[in-house]
Amino acid sequence: MSTSNRILLGVNIDHVATLRQARGTRYPDPVKAALDAEEAGADGITVHLREDRRHIQERDVLLLKDVLQTRMNFEMGVTEEMMAFAERIRPAHICLVPETRQELTTEGGLDVAGQESRISLAVERLSKIGAEVSLFIDADERQIEASKRVGAPAIELHTGRYADAETPTDVADELQRVADGVSFGLAQGLIVNAGHGLHYHNVEAVAAIRGINELNIGHALVAHALFVGFKSAVAEMKALILAAAKP
Ligand SMILES: CC(=O)[C@@H](O)[C@H](O)COP(=O)(O)O
Ligand SMILES: NCC(=O)COP(=O)(O)O
């Protein structure tokens, strides 16, 4: 079990692609954003190839696979189309996420406990291509235990409820839920990542939780990059995280 305070930053570039798709242009290119992010200290690049292709496209993933100096964390729904694509591109990390077409963003965690045999088969198949598979789940003991049972080496705890909490009490409760999830996941021998909805004003409390391996952050970075540039946005976030994670 690791309780290291070294914490990695995975930069999610989906919303660079959102801006491009809004007009069907060639710019801004998420591949350029990924390279800039790496130069600014990103430890990995996260992309979510949604079934509706609202942002990231296959082309992005294929190019990234060739040019990344760090590693790709490929987020995907558990569908045959995505399984076959993942087998083709063989990302170093794969995160299985729940997905519906109508949602504005990923609304909750994957229900691993409710579909153990399906997720177990997916984990087994993706592990065969050498990927480290993580499951994007709520910080809920039942889901964490199920993640362990299906053979995933890693989980990513959904921090959206913490990010959306409005009152100080709710923020504290949701933060505690994440912290408890981290401890429980580590006790199960899992690698514990976290992410969703984290931004410059709420990230420090999460980064201060000991034992988190990586935070995946996207939307807030892309938004801040409009004003300071992508490299500065990533470097600022990385500095905040590292300062908060200090013992
Ligand atoms: C799973 C996750 O948290 C991210 O991939 C996020 O879903 C990306 O942004 P959208 O949900 O807006 O596509
Ligand atoms: N898995 C979470 C992620 O990659 C980034 O989510 P967000 O920061 O765009 O909300």
Side-chain angles (χ1 to χ4, degrees):
M1 185 205 314
S2 157
T3 51
S4 154
N5 64 333
R6 181 172 173 268
I7 187 160
L8 305 175
L9 171 61
V11 170
N12 182 318
I13 52 171
D14 291 352
H15 297 295
V16 177
T18 299
L19 195 54
R20 176 190 62 191
Q21 297 309 114
R23 282 286 177 93
T25 47
R26 290 187 168 208
Y27 62 85
D29 193 335
V31 177
K32 169 156 174 45
L35 297 178
D36 282 0
E38 286 186 326
E39 273 188 38
D43 298 292
I45 300 297
T46 294
V47 285
H48 182 176
L49 183 64
R50 278 184 174 271
E51 185 244 343
D52 64 10
R53 305 296 195 269
R54 66 174 75 165
H55 39 55
I56 293 293
Q57 308 294 310
E58 282 95 329
R59 167 264 183 207
D60 304 323
V61 184
L62 293 171
L63 283 175
L64 287 166
K65 174 73 184 148
D66 276 352
V67 301
L68 288 186
Q69 306 277 342
T70 57
R71 62 194 158 73
M72 186 193 302
N73 174 32
F74 182 65
E75 293 183 332
M76 55 175 261
V78 190
T79 64
E80 182 49 40
E81 182 207 9
M82 283 301 146
M83 296 289 292
F85 186 71
E87 285 172 332
R88 191 173 137 214
I89 58 157
R90 296 172 163 258
H93 295 251
I94 293 176
C95 184
L96 298 180
V97 304
E99 202 180 294
T100 59
R101 266 189 178 232
Q102 298 76 20
E103 67 190 356
L104 192 58
T105 183
T106 311
E107 281 165 0
L110 193 63
D111 180 15
V112 183
Q115 40 179 347
E116 278 196 35
S117 50
R118 180 165 169 254
I119 304 293
S120 179
L121 284 174
V123 171
E124 192 187 341
R125 199 166 146 189
L126 295 171
S127 298
K128 280 194 187 136
I129 58 167
E132 179 187 284
V133 181
S134 74
L135 304 175
F136 189 66
I137 56 170
D138 290 326
D140 169 336
E141 290 193 1
R142 203 173 132 256
Q143 298 296 345
I144 296 169
E145 284 172 335
S147 300
K148 175 73 182 175
R149 281 197 299 274
V150 301
I155 53 175
E156 178 171 329
L157 298 179
H158 193 321
T159 50
R161 278 170 63 168
Y162 160 71
D164 291 342
E166 287 181 359
T167 67
T169 310
D170 288 351
V171 171
D173 287 352
E174 293 301 336
L175 184 64
Q176 191 57 50
R177 191 192 307 276
V178 175
D180 291 345
V182 173
S183 306
F184 193 74
L186 291 173
Q188 304 288 314
L190 295 165
I191 297 166
V192 183
N193 303 319
H196 200 88
L198 297 178
H199 55 65
Y200 296 84
H201 302 288
N202 67 11
V203 73
E204 287 164 289
V206 176
I209 299 171
R210 288 190 68 93
I212 295 181
N213 172 62
E214 176 170 272
L215 293 179
N216 282 305
I217 307 182
H219 187 267
L221 287 174
V222 176
H224 193 47
L226 290 175
F227 304 104
V228 303
F230 208 66
K231 284 186 192 171
S232 297
V234 171
E236 274 182 48
M237 184 61 83
K238 175 109 182 179
L240 273 180
I241 290 173
L242 291 182
K246 274 209 175 112

